[in-house]
Amino acid sequence: MDLTPPRWQRRKDARPAEIIEAALALFVEKGFAAARLDDVAKRAGVTKGTLYLYFENKEELFKAVVRETVLPNLEFAELLVADHRGSCADLLWALLEGWAQRLQQSPSTSISKLMIAEASNFPELGRFYLEEVVLRSRRLFAEVIQRGIDAGEFRAVDVAMATRSVTAPLMMIKVWKQSFECCDSSEVDLPEFARFHYEMLIRGLRAD
């Protein structure tokens, strides 16, 4: 006899995490518009009524997914930048390397592709993601570049343009892999690409 209690009998404090995990999987698989709260509840092993106890609607659930799965990595990177006392070139590589590894391994990074595809249809969510994730990420890289300029390690460049140059290629590779994996057989290792990208960048940034 199976004596394992059904999932809905688990501790109540575990339910929001299970709902968020299920929502992340469905948002990645189906996109925001096509993901149904009924399916999220079913995958999480709860009733739809239970889901509404924690999340008012699908938009609030999506925001919770971003805050619980994306923002912790961003907060860690912000602490890394704040505590770093060495070379800005080393710090730039640490950020790129960590980001590339997450892009390669973490399902939560697929939310970027989802937002690129659906932000125009859901402008409130687009603004939320822009403010909570995109702009914070840009500020992070911009701070490192500006710090390198101020220290004389990097040459004077347009920081905003340099920041976009740092971040755009990795994101494009990730989106390409997700979009064309079904028909493009060529493999791109994101950490390996990040190293190549960094070496190209640092040649353009170094003051010498």
Side-chain angles (χ1 to χ4, degrees), residues 141-152:
F141 282 99
E143 180 179 343
V144 175
I145 294 169
Q146 187 63 60
R147 190 187 298 182
I149 294 171
D150 295 342

Side-chain angles (χ1 to χ4, degrees), residues 87-151:
S87 161
C88 291
D90 291 344
L91 178 56
L92 182 60
W93 168 240
L95 290 177
L96 280 173
E97 182 182 34
W99 187 28
Q101 290 173 348
R102 288 191 297 275
L103 286 172
Q104 185 98 319
Q105 300 168 5
S106 175
S108 66
T109 58
S110 299
I111 293 177
S112 297
K113 175 179 177 288
L114 182 156
M115 290 311 304
I116 290 171
E118 302 202 50
S120 61
N121 295 322
F122 302 94
E124 180 188 349
L125 289 184
R127 285 190 292 271
F128 162 79
Y129 192 79
L130 179 68
E131 293 170 1
E132 295 279 341
V133 179
V134 177
L135 296 183
R136 282 178 68 178
S137 299
R138 287 181 189 168
R139 286 195 294 269
L140 195 63
F141 282 99
E143 180 179 343
V144 175
I145 294 169
Q146 187 63 60
R147 190 187 298 182
I149 294 171
D150 295 342

Side-chain angles (χ1 to χ4, degrees), residues 12 30 47-48 56 69 74-75 77 114 121 126 132 139 147 151 161-162 168-169 175 181 190 195 204:
K12 289 184 178 181
K30 299 178 177 294
T47 66
K48 190 174 180 181
E56 183 179 354
T69 66
L74 185 52
E75 290 163 359
L114 182 156
N121 295 322
E132 295 279 341
R139 286 195 294 269
R147 190 187 298 182
M161 293 290 283
V175 172
E181 194 171 28
L190 276 164
R195 168 57 73 176

